[in-house]
Amino acid sequence: MENQAKIDRISNLPWDVLDSILVHLPLREAARTSILSRKWRYKWTGLSQFVFDDKCIRSSLSDKVARWVEIMKIINKVRFYHSGPIEKFKLATYCCPNYSDLNQWIDFLTEKGIKELIIQDFSFIKRFKLPSCVFSCPKLNCLELYGCIFRLPTFFRGFDCLKSLQLSHSFIVSDTLESLICNCPVLEKLTLWNIDHLSFVRIHNPNIKYLKLDSKFEDICLGSSSLLATVDIRMIPMYGHAILRRHEQGKVCNLVRVLGCLDSINKLSLYGQFLEFLANDDVPERLPTMLNCLLALDLREVRFTRLRDLKASISILRSCPNLEELLITVDTSSQEHTTVTDFVRAQCLCDFYFNKLKVVKIRGIFGSGTEWEFIKLLLAHSPMLELMTIVKYSGGERISELLLQQLDRASEHVKFTSLTL
C-alpha cells in the first residue's frame, strides 16, 4: 500500500490528456506546475493553447509596457521549449505590445499550425500591419484582430477553414474586405467593429449565418447570403464625406434592396441611422418578399421625431408575419413634428395585424404624442400579445398600467409592466 501511494499517476498520463487538463487552467496557474518536480518544470510550455488575459498578469502591475514585458517572458520560454502544435492563441490583456516582438510570435504560431488567433483590446499608438504569414495558415478557423492594418498579399487564395472572422478598430478597404469574405468558403460568423476607410460593404458568401456591423460606411449589399439568420447593423454616419452612388443604389428603396434577400433571418437588430438609410426612397407598405422566418426584431435608437425612421420600422414590422418578440429603444427626442404623429395615427386604420406577436418591450420613451400613437398601434393590431413592458427614461411618473388598460387592444390577455428610470 505504501508503494502504491508513491506512484505518480498524473505525471504518467498521456500528454494529450495532461494538455486537456492544463489548458483549462489560467496560464499563470498552469505555469506554476513547474514547481511540482523537475519532470514538470517545462511541461506547461508545451500546451496547445495559450490565453494571455488579466489572470496571467500580476494585479499590482498596471504599467502597459511592463505588462507586455511579463508576457514576453512567457512567450520566450514557450518559443524555446515548445514542441508540437499550438492550436489557439488569445491576447486579451490591456498592454502595449512591441510590434516587432508580436510579429515574431505570430510568425512562430503560423509554423505551429494555429487554428484560433485572437488579438483583442490593447493599447496602440499606431495600427500594426498584420504579418503576411497569417494568410498562409491552412487550418485557421477563427480570426479576431484588433488594431491592425489588413492587406491581402498577392499569394492569398483564401482561408479554406475559417468559420469566424472579427475585425475591430482596424484598417481594411472595401474591395479587400469583399475579396476576403468571398475567399472564405465556410465562413459563418462575421463581425466588423469601427473599421477605417470602409466606404461600402458587400457580403457575397452563401454560408454566412451571423453578421454584426458597427462602423462608418456609406452603402451595403447582402446579396448571395441566403443563410443569414442573425443580423445586427449599426451605421455611423460619415460626416463630411460625399455619399458614393454605386450600382447597388438607384431608384429602388434601400429597404427593399438590402433586406429583401434575407429569406432565412430569424433575428434582426437595426439602429436609427441605418433605418434612415433604408428609407432613402419611397418606402413600401411591406417588403415584396416577406421575412417569414423573423421571430425577434430589435430596433434601437429609433427617433420618433424622424418620419424616415418610423416608415422603415413599420414597413419591416408589416413584413414579419411570424414575429413573436419586438424590442424598441427610443433615441433622445427632439421637437416633435405633427406629420410624424399623423403618419403613425393613420396606420391604426390600416387592415393588417401582427398575428404572432407576444412580447413588446419599449425602452426610453419620453411620453410624446408619436410614441403614444405607436403604442396604440401595437395594441390595436396584436391579437396574441401577452406582455407589454414600457420603460420611461425622462424621469417623473411612470405611465400607469390602468391608463394602458383603457386603450383599445386586440388582445384581452395582455399584461402591462410600466417602469421609470
Side-chain angles (χ1 to χ4, degrees):
M1 294 291 292
E2 186 176 341
N3 289 335
Q4 288 182 350
K6 294 181 179 179
I7 296 175
D8 184 359
R9 290 188 173 89
I10 295 180
S11 296
N12 293 324
L13 288 172
W15 172 244
D16 60 335
V17 177
L18 283 175
D19 179 62
S20 66
I21 295 172
L22 292 177
V23 296
H24 285 88
L25 295 175
L27 187 55
R28 186 179 176 85
E29 300 302 318
R32 285 179 176 173
T33 61
S34 62
I35 65 173
L36 294 177
S37 69
R38 183 176 298 177
K39 190 175 182 180
W40 277 82
R41 186 173 182 182
Y42 297 113
K43 275 187 182 295
W44 69 272
T45 64
L47 294 175
S48 63
Q49 300 182 20
F50 290 91
V51 176
F52 291 88
D53 54 20
D54 288 335
K55 295 178 182 178
C56 72
I57 303 292
R58 290 179 285 117
S59 58
S60 60
L61 195 62
S62 59
D63 182 78
K64 297 186 290 292
V65 175
R67 290 165 72 88
W68 178 251
V69 171
E70 288 291 301
I71 291 171
M72 281 307 301
K73 289 178 182 178
I74 300 173
I75 285 176
N76 287 334
K77 283 186 179 181
V78 173
R79 290 179 65 184
F80 189 79
Y81 291 106
H82 195 280
S83 60
I86 296 179
E87 296 183 349
K88 177 179 179 178
F89 170 70
K90 181 177 180 178
L91 176 63
T93 182
Y94 196 62
C95 61
C96 188
N98 177 290
Y99 291 151
S100 177
D101 292 338
L102 183 59
N103 287 349
Q104 290 181 36
W105 173 241
I106 292 176
D107 187 56
F108 177 77
L109 293 173
T110 60
E111 295 174 356
K112 290 289 185 174
I114 190 75
K115 293 181 180 179
E116 295 184 48
L117 178 58
I118 303 171
I119 300 178
Q120 294 183 345
D121 295 7
F122 61 85
S123 176
F124 62 85
I125 299 174
K126 62 179 182 179
R127 288 179 168 82
F128 76 97
K129 185 179 179 181
L130 191 66
S132 60
C133 59
V134 172
F135 298 96
S136 58
C137 294
K139 298 180 181 179
L140 196 65
N141 60 48
C142 176
L143 182 61
E144 297 184 15
L145 299 173
Y146 178 92
C148 75
I149 298 172
F150 209 102
R151 294 190 176 99
L152 298 181
T154 54
F155 63 78
F156 179 69
R157 295 295 179 269
F159 289 123
D160 291 339
C161 298
L162 193 67
K163 290 188 175 182
S164 178
L165 173 64
Q166 177 173 315
L167 302 179
S168 178
H169 291 78
S170 296
F171 175 98
I172 183 170
V173 298
S174 299
D175 290 335
T176 300
L177 178 63
E178 181 180 3
S179 178
L180 176 63
I181 295 171
C182 287
N183 287 286
C184 298
V186 297
L187 186 64
E188 296 181 355
K189 184 176 181 180
L190 175 63
T191 304
L192 302 170
W193 291 82
N194 199 4
I195 307 299
D196 288 348
H197 290 77
L198 193 63
S199 58
F200 64 91
V201 180
R202 287 196 189 100
I203 311 294
H204 294 293
N205 188 312
N207 292 306
I208 292 182
K209 298 177 182 178
Y210 174 95
L211 170 65
K212 182 172 181 63
L213 173 59
D214 188 337
S215 188
K216 293 180 180 179
F217 64 96
E218 297 175 2
D219 193 19
I220 185 171
C221 177
L222 301 179
S224 304
S225 303
S226 57
L227 295 183
L228 267 174
T230 301
V231 173
D232 187 327
I233 301 178
R234 181 171 181 262
M235 184 183 202
I236 302 175
M238 300 182 70
Y239 295 115
H241 290 255
I243 295 178
L244 302 178
R245 290 289 173 180
R246 302 185 179 275
H247 70 270
E248 289 95 343
Q249 295 183 342
K251 293 184 178 180
V252 178
C253 180
N254 286 339
L255 182 69
V256 176
R257 179 176 62 83
V258 177
L259 301 186
C261 60
L262 302 181
D263 300 335
S264 301
I265 190 168
N266 52 53
K267 183 175 182 180
L268 179 62
S269 300
L270 303 175
Y271 289 71
Q273 293 285 356
F274 191 65
L275 288 170
E276 184 174 11
F277 164 82
L278 292 176
N280 69 313
D281 211 318
D282 292 334
V283 178
E285 290 185 355
R286 58 174 61 86
L287 293 170
T289 303
M290 300 292 276
L291 305 176
N292 291 313
C293 297
L294 189 62
L295 302 178
L297 178 61
D298 187 352
L299 301 176
R300 302 191 175 217
E301 301 174 1
V302 179
R303 298 163 298 184
F304 274 79
T305 57
R306 298 289 187 97
L307 187 58
R308 283 189 173 188
D309 284 24
L310 289 173
K311 279 188 174 182
S313 299
I314 292 175
S315 179
I316 295 171
L317 275 168
R318 296 178 69 168
S319 305
C320 312
N322 297 309
L323 187 69
E324 296 181 357
E325 183 172 347
L326 172 65
L327 171 62
I328 294 179
T329 305
V330 182
D331 186 51
T332 304
S333 182
S334 57
Q335 186 175 359
E336 192 171 12
H337 299 284
T338 306
T339 54
V340 182
T341 306
D342 290 343
F343 168 76
V344 179
R345 184 181 294 118
Q347 303 306 307
C348 287
L349 304 177
C350 297
D351 187 20
F352 70 92
Y353 291 90
F354 312 120
N355 289 315
K356 301 291 182 68
L357 189 60
K358 297 179 181 178
V359 177
V360 172
K361 299 176 183 178
I362 306 177
R363 297 189 303 215
I365 70 168
F366 292 83
S368 70
T370 305
E371 294 166 346
W372 194 244
E373 291 298 331
F374 191 81
I375 292 171
K376 290 166 63 176
L377 169 66
L378 293 175
L379 288 174
H381 292 260
S382 305
M384 301 300 292
L385 192 62
E386 298 174 358
L387 175 64
M388 175 176 279
T389 301
I390 298 176
V391 181
K392 191 176 181 183
Y393 284 177
S394 59
E397 295 185 1
R398 63 183 178 84
I399 299 173
S400 71
E401 284 90 348
L402 180 60
L403 181 61
L404 292 169
Q405 290 171 356
Q406 293 174 355
L407 297 176
D408 291 336
R409 56 190 189 273
S411 172
E412 296 182 358
H413 306 290
V414 59
K415 178 182 178 181
F416 294 102
T417 300
S418 181
L419 306 169
T420 184
L421 295 177

